Amino acid sequence: MRKRIFVRGLFVLSIGALCLFGVTPSPAATYFSESFDSYSDNSGMFSAGWVSRNFQELFDNGDVQGTNGQPHNEGAKWGLKGDPQFPQGGRINPPDRNGGTTGGKYIISDSDNAPISDGGNPDAGYAITSPAFNCSSAAGSVYLHCSIGAILNDNDTAVFEVYVSGNNGATWNLVLQRVSPGSPLSTTANADGIHGVVDIDITAHAAGNAQVKVRFTSRANSDGWWVTVDDIVVDDINYGFNNATTLFGPEGFAGAADTIPAGWARTTAHGAGNQWQVGYLNRHTTVVAGIIGQSINRLDTTYATFESGEDGFGVTGDGADNETLTTPTINCGSFNQIFLHFDSEIAPKNEVANVLVSIDNGTTFDPAPVWTYNNYGDNDEDSTYTHHVVPVALAANQAQVKFRFLFQTAGDELYWAVDNVLVTGRNGDTAPDAPTISHANPTFTLNQAVSSQGLTGFNTTAYSTSGTGTHGRTDWQVLRVGGTTPVASGSTTTGDLTAIRINGVESPGNYVVRARHVSLQDQVAGLYGPDLAFTVGGPQFTVQRYCEDFDSLAGSLLPAASEAVGQCAGGIADLFLLGWTHTPPAGWNVDNSELRTNNGTLEWYGWSFATLEFWVDADDQDRSAFTKSLGVLAIADADEYDDCNGAAGPDNTVDAAYYTTLSSPPIAIPANEPILITFDSHYRQENPQQAEVTVSFDGGPTQQILYYCCEGDPVTGDNAGVDVQNAGIVLNVPAQPANSNMVVNWRYFTASNDWFWAIDNFCVYSEVGPGEGSSVDDWNLYE
């Protein structure tokens, strides 16, 4: 069916210029900032003035329907990641300036995670609007900065837009638009998603106005994915250019074909010819005749690129890629702030793209990337195009700096293209010293951790007086002891910037917290200081009866088998990575008697035990979002099992083949003590897949205490028919009249080529004493 594509007349289509060049004065003024970390749920965010509406509600113009007659898809409405009642938010945070992820909460519109489609109707959409803020004192430029992860779809019609109003929402001005390549709206000026921070000049719409608002919209989804937004700042800083001097470039690779510019160098894992190409146009939209998914739609006709699947000359099957492109030497010796600018267009498919820096003329490169792209989004989907401005602290005051663009894949994947490489420098705030953290008694109960107040009493040392600049904010991260990925993070931006309140720790365990200070004017971040250890125990007035984190299996892990490159699943290139086993911990049992096939991916034959690294390397698809896990975790994965021979069966309940049950050992429970079961869980829903937790006592019948099911059904399952990702789970079980032995079972069943369920950090507690708020009845399944 031909789709009607149009934009409501209320939107004034005056595209704001992205800030690329120009120098403006820098008496830094911040007119608005929002990190979303201060809100515990949507109601708190809405109380602060944010408004989330579908287009029907927004325009009040009758019953807007999708092209197939369906109403607006309420599951795709914008909301806060972390709201326990909000079905979205399982995606990872949007990227920051260095390509990592922002901390804490963010807002999201997730078309894929919603139960139905909008049918590609451009008149069906969702908007979230900021509170009004005052820019009346802005006599010069005004810029909007925000972190965005816009994962559209290479064959969809989805549209993501940013609007600004200077008159309290009476009229709106379009300042940024991104369109899926499958839409007739897509052009070389708006195609593809976003991976990083955008810097938008909104001077024409904001400067001198007292009631400015920003609006983010997502519309016209048919089979789209999601958009996430975080760390919104409106100020007068043309980031990377304010009072800056150009030290190198811009390099646009406009020379003869396959002739790299003077001073540049490239290396390859393949041999002469199969390397970074300059101006190679095989995937460029002007060659493939139109805006096409996974093509280079946004760069001009000369740029640098490496094509993994073709390696520049149609060569396939030649092994893993380890490709570098290195700049000439750049003298940054006179400036204490250095910024690397470049345009990047990349398609996600098992790829790692990094930018490294050397300060010794290329003899060594720091192993920590100054910018990274680690397959953000779902594999084999739409490209993202972003103009990046990356602060590079290591290059400050260094005279022999080189940057290296490093592209690595297992071979025969997609591409990375870069253009307009520029380096600028300025003198401004210096990085503050790393702070230490103290706490009088860093031991907490789970009640305290999950309360709205969070964990309090943490304090950092003051902002450094040895550096220049004033205190703008303090960032913090919490990690499990031995972990590398934060399980919670946030910032303090008002009041006492040395006092930290920790929210987002939802499970018992041993943790560390670290902090860094950031300057006000130039937003220069210092290093994170030393870790402070703290402990979260069980619920108040309980005794721990049993715990298992599966990490005792680390010595039993095996290398990839079916998941090895070249085999039937074939996702893991590192053949020395030890990452999985079928052997459970002592006393545990895996029952695969109902699993109807045995020829699927070996690693995922029923409940298995693997590291998060191994699991993500097999295929990401939101597996990496299980940040609460550490070490070895338990996994039931019908999606990966099906990658060999379609072994999970047809996509219906009758023929679905994947049934598997994981059972704990018998756990001794005293009489007359109510029971609490806690574990971390990571679950993606797709029909006909179901999952349940049951308990039994002394070999008796099982009792269901948790049930997940039924995509599109908000009533039947405890998951309301949607994903429950990276969640801390607390379940209650009534007291037993006599001493008994309890077995806990995790059953994953009627799954075909669906998704997965993973668990970690399992504990059982029993209530031993009275106390306010200690009753088991007060505990429920939460986020």
Side-chain angles (χ1 to χ4, degrees):
M1 178 183 296
R2 186 176 181 181
K3 298 181 175 65
R4 298 177 299 116
I5 304 294
F6 63 93
V7 179
R8 292 192 168 276
L10 180 61
F11 294 143
V12 182
L13 295 182
S14 56
I15 305 293
L18 294 180
C19 71
L20 294 177
F21 299 98
V23 176
T24 59
S26 61
T30 299
Y31 307 108
F32 179 75
S33 66
E34 179 62 85
S35 70
F36 302 103
D37 295 332
S38 63
Y39 309 126
S40 59
D41 53 26
N42 279 331
S43 62
M45 181 173 67
F46 299 153
S47 295
W50 286 88
V51 178
S52 177
R53 297 284 188 267
N54 66 38
F55 279 11
Q56 178 182 340
E57 297 166 327
L58 192 66
F59 301 117
D60 192 24
N61 66 341
D63 186 18
V64 178
Q65 301 285 328
T67 55
N68 297 321
Q70 65 268 45
H72 267 92
N73 182 357
E74 291 302 283
K77 255 189 173 179
W78 286 90
L80 181 73
K81 182 268 183 184
D83 183 332
Q85 305 304 315
F86 188 53
Q88 306 190 44
R91 313 300 184 177
I92 62 175
N93 289 53
D96 61 17
R97 287 200 182 273
N98 299 105
T101 54
T102 64
K105 296 183 174 69
Y106 56 86
I107 53 173
I108 179 172
S109 174
D110 192 337
S111 172
D112 179 62
N113 208 23
I116 60 174
S117 164
D118 282 322
N121 180 8
D123 204 27
Y126 314 90
I128 188 166
T129 306
S130 76
F133 52 91
N134 190 348
C135 294
S136 60
S137 63
S141 297
V142 181
Y143 293 90
L144 167 65
H145 318 272
C146 52
S147 292
I148 298 176
I151 308 302
L152 305 178
N153 195 337
D154 59 315
N155 58 0
D156 193 46
T157 56
V159 179
F160 166 66
E161 292 160 325
V162 182
Y163 293 83
V164 173
S165 171
N167 53 13
N168 203 33
T171 58
W172 291 90
N173 306 280
L174 179 64
V175 296
L176 176 68
Q177 183 183 63
R178 292 301 179 89
V179 182
S180 295
S183 169
L185 281 178
S186 64
T187 70
T188 55
N190 65 18
D192 298 336
I194 302 173
H195 174 273
V197 177
V198 298
D199 304 293
I200 307 173
D201 186 345
I202 61 171
T203 306
H205 316 302
N209 295 326
Q211 291 186 305
V212 180
K213 291 183 176 181
V214 176
R215 172 175 288 169
F216 302 92
T217 72
S218 174
R219 63 185 176 96
N221 283 286
S222 175
D223 186 27
W225 291 102
W226 72 88
V227 180
T228 56
V229 177
D230 198 6
D231 292 345
I232 302 165
V233 175
V234 178
D235 60 23
D236 62 354
I237 297 176
N238 188 358
Y239 192 82
F241 290 101
N242 271 39
N243 299 326
T245 298
T246 296
L247 306 179
F248 174 80
E251 178 55 68
F253 304 101
D258 200 30
T259 301
I260 62 172
W264 287 72
R266 55 188 174 181
T267 64
T268 178
H270 304 295
N274 283 3
Q275 54 197 345
W276 277 87
Q277 305 296 310
V278 175
Y280 181 65
L281 302 180
N282 180 67
R283 195 182 289 274
H284 196 270
T285 188
T286 58
V287 173
V288 298
I291 304 300
I292 293 181
Q294 301 181 345
S295 291
I296 299 172
N297 295 315
R298 298 300 303 274
L299 302 182
D300 59 26
T301 56
T302 60
Y303 49 86
T305 184
F306 183 80
E307 295 252 1
S308 173
E310 300 184 37
D311 298 350
F313 292 93
V315 178
T316 59
D318 57 347
D321 303 313
N322 188 29
E323 313 302 308
T324 72
L325 180 69
T326 306
T327 69
T329 304
I330 304 167
N331 186 351
C332 303
S334 300
F335 301 94
N336 66 15
Q337 292 180 14
I338 305 299
F339 303 90
L340 171 67
H341 312 240
F342 63 98
D343 295 333
S344 171
E345 196 157 6
I346 190 168
K349 192 177 181 185
N350 298 317
E351 299 155 345
V352 176
N354 290 327
V355 180
L356 308 178
V357 64
S358 169
I359 59 174
D360 58 10
N361 207 33
T363 302
T364 60
F365 282 83
D366 189 80
V370 299
W371 179 88
T372 187
Y373 176 97
N374 194 355
N375 208 48
Y376 183 93
D378 269 23
N379 257 342
D380 216 10
E381 293 299 339
D382 188 27
S383 308
T384 60
Y385 163 78
T386 313
H387 174 76
H388 296 285
V389 185
V390 181
V392 187
L394 197 63
N397 302 120
Q398 300 295 321
Q400 294 186 311
V401 175
K402 288 188 175 185
F403 294 98
R404 171 166 289 174
F405 297 85
L406 171 64
F407 190 51
Q408 297 171 304
T409 83
D412 296 340
E413 302 295 353
L414 289 174
Y415 72 93
W416 185 22
V418 299
D419 203 0
N420 299 316
V421 179
L422 174 76
V423 178
T424 60
R426 70 187 294 270
N427 286 309
D429 294 346
T430 56
D433 295 338
T436 58
I437 302 179
S438 61
H439 195 286
N441 183 24
T443 301
F444 306 93
T445 66
L446 186 58
N447 302 63
Q448 293 171 300
V450 301
S451 70
S452 59
Q453 289 77 27
L455 304 178
T456 60
F458 295 92
N459 288 278
T460 74
T461 50
Y463 186 87
S464 169
T465 56
S466 62
T468 61
T470 57
H471 197 170
R473 74 172 191 269
T474 297
D475 300 333
W476 55 266
Q477 296 179 337
V478 172
L479 301 88
R480 286 189 179 272
V481 171
T484 58
T485 302
V487 298
S489 57
S491 298
T492 299
T493 56
T494 58
D496 183 356
L497 300 181
T498 63
I500 296 174
R501 182 188 303 272
I502 295 175
N503 294 98
V505 177
E506 299 176 335
S507 307
N510 297 315
Y511 298 90
V512 296
V513 58
R514 62 184 60 155
R516 69 179 183 184
H517 292 316
V518 182
S519 72
L520 175 63
Q521 176 164 303
D522 293 330
Q523 299 288 291
V524 176
L527 297 175
Y528 278 98
D531 297 340
L532 175 71
F534 69 94
T535 300
V536 175
Q540 191 176 18
F541 304 114
T542 65
V543 170
Q544 178 181 302
R545 299 302 179 186
Y546 181 84
C547 279
E548 177 60 69
D549 62 8
F550 309 111
D551 291 347
S552 63
L553 302 178
S556 304
L557 300 180
L558 302 170
S562 301
E563 286 286 10
V565 168
Q567 301 304 310
C568 51
I572 297 179
D574 185 354
L575 301 183
F576 298 99
L577 177 63
L578 302 179
W580 73 280
T581 181
H582 285 151
T583 304
W588 286 70
N589 182 65
V590 175
D591 180 1
N592 292 328
S593 61
E594 294 182 282
L595 210 163
R596 300 175 182 178
T597 62
N598 61 7
N599 63 335
T601 306
L602 175 63
E603 289 88 335
W604 315 114
Y605 179 72
W607 279 98
S608 303
F609 306 90
T611 64
L612 185 63
E613 177 186 11
F614 185 91
W615 194 33
V616 171
D617 281 358
D619 204 349
D620 193 339
Q621 298 176 309
D622 283 358
R623 291 169 175 86
S624 62
F626 195 13
T627 59
K628 294 181 185 299
S629 67
L630 178 68
V632 181
L633 51 150
I635 302 164
D637 194 329
D639 174 59
E640 281 300 295
Y641 182 71
D642 191 74
D643 283 356
C644 289
N645 304 308
D651 195 15
N652 62 77
T653 303
V654 173
D655 298 316
Y658 200 85
Y659 292 69
T660 182
T661 301
L662 173 66
S663 298
S664 74
I667 301 167
I669 303 295
N672 302 314
E673 293 185 3
I675 304 161
L676 292 174
I677 296 172
T678 71
F679 59 95
D680 293 325
S681 177
H682 192 54
Y683 179 82
R684 286 199 69 179
Q685 177 65 48
E686 184 177 3
N687 293 342
Q689 165 190 303
Q690 301 175 76
E692 67 178 0
V693 178
T694 63
V695 295
S696 62
F697 293 91
D698 297 327
T702 60
Q703 307 168 35
Q704 187 184 79
I705 57 174
L706 178 68
Y707 177 54
Y708 288 161
C709 79
C710 314
E711 186 178 13
D713 179 352
V715 176
T716 305
D718 294 315
N719 60 326
V722 300
D723 299 351
V724 184
Q725 295 194 33
N726 201 38
I729 304 296
V730 176
L731 303 172
N732 60 59
V733 179
Q736 300 300 298
N739 293 344
S740 55
N741 289 305
M742 179 181 72
V743 172
V744 183
N745 310 288
W746 292 262
R747 185 171 183 246
Y748 179 76
F749 58 107
T750 64
S752 57
N753 183 21
D754 297 323
W755 285 118
F756 51 76
W757 191 13
I759 67 168
D760 201 0
N761 305 313
F762 163 64
C763 283
V764 174
Y765 303 88
S766 65
E767 184 181 355
V768 296
E772 184 178 353
S774 66
S775 170
V776 170
D777 292 337
D778 294 337
W779 288 89
N780 299 295
L781 172 71
Y782 65 95
E783 199 261 324

